[in-house]
């Protein structure tokens, strides 16, 4: 057994557990519950200049590469200053810039972002487009159009669950 799992085999709680109100304990905390939560991870990728505004008509790309087989369970965007009055889009593609979309639509209109507020993306319902092998990644791109207000700082956070055994 790997060393990192050895401490998860015999977990116990001791002392007094105080619960305010009604409590029902029907599922004991087990090794499988803990391992499932450890398998969920997040990675944040910068997609625009961190120190200034995005340049008009420029693509900013980044890769999500966890290095393990996984299923993408969420993608969220956050920015300091969202763009206005332009055609600025975010795309997430499986395995390459030309891969299948991981979003429910081909792209997301970044003019809908709200400053300093995480915005979850709607993901595709095609499960295979969200599953990555240990050697695949996801290509993330912010395409800045010509806008009235340029976007400043854009980060994508990808949530995923490890599927390697």
């Amino acid at each position: 057994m790997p060393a990192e799992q050895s401490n998860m085999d015999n977990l116990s709680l001791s002392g007094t557990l105080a619960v305010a109100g009604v409590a029902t304990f029907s599922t004991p905390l087990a090794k499988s519950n803990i391992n499932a939560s450890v398998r969920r991870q997040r990675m944040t990728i910068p997609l625009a200049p961190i120190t200034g505004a995005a340049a008009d008509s420029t693509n900013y790309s980044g890769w999500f590469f966890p290095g393990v087989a996984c299923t993408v369970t969420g993608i969220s965007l956050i920015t300091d200053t969202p763009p206005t009055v332009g055609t600025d889009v975010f795309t997430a593609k499986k395995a390459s810039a030309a891969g299948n979309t991981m979003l429910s639509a081909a792209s997301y209109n970044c003019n809908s972002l709200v400053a300093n507020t995480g915005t979850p993306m709607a993901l595709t319902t095609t499960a295979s487009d969200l599953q990555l092998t240990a050697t695949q990644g996801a290509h993330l791109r912010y395409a800045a159009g010509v806008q009235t207000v340029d976007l400043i700082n854009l980060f994508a956070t990808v949530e995923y669950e490890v599927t390697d055994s």
Side-chain angles (χ1 to χ4, degrees):
M1 169 179 356
E4 64 272 7
Q5 290 181 353
S6 64
N7 291 332
M8 297 207 181
D9 288 336
N10 297 307
L11 296 176
S12 63
L13 299 174
S14 62
T16 303
L17 176 63
V19 178
V22 177
T24 303
F25 299 97
S26 59
T27 305
L29 182 61
K31 178 182 171 188
S32 62
N33 300 112
I34 294 171
N35 285 343
S37 66
V38 171
R39 297 179 78 73
R40 286 184 222 113
Q41 306 286 324
R42 288 185 179 91
M43 187 182 298
T44 299
I45 298 98
L47 288 176
I50 296 172
T51 57
D56 288 349
S57 304
T58 304
N59 288 323
Y60 297 92
S61 297
W63 279 94
F64 162 70
F65 181 71
V68 296
C70 67
T71 300
V72 172
T73 58
I75 300 174
S76 297
L77 300 178
I78 191 164
T79 183
D80 288 346
T81 304
T84 61
V85 192
T87 307
D88 294 14
V89 296
F90 169 77
T91 58
K93 304 284 185 143
K94 178 181 178 176
S96 74
N100 291 345
T101 185
M102 300 176 91
L103 304 178
S104 64
S107 63
Y108 173 79
N109 179 351
C110 291
N111 291 311
S112 300
L113 293 172
V114 176
N116 304 311
T117 303
T119 303
M121 302 291 99
L123 299 180
T124 180
T125 56
T126 306
S128 62
D129 289 342
L130 299 173
Q131 297 166 347
L132 302 174
T133 67
T135 60
Q136 288 179 317
H139 185 264
L140 309 176
R141 176 181 291 158
Y142 166 64
V146 177
Q147 57 277 340
T148 305
V149 174
D150 293 328
L151 175 137
I152 299 175
N153 290 338
L154 178 65
F155 294 89
T157 297
V158 179
E159 300 174 25
Y160 62 99
E161 187 165 323
V162 176
T163 54
D164 267 348
S165 53

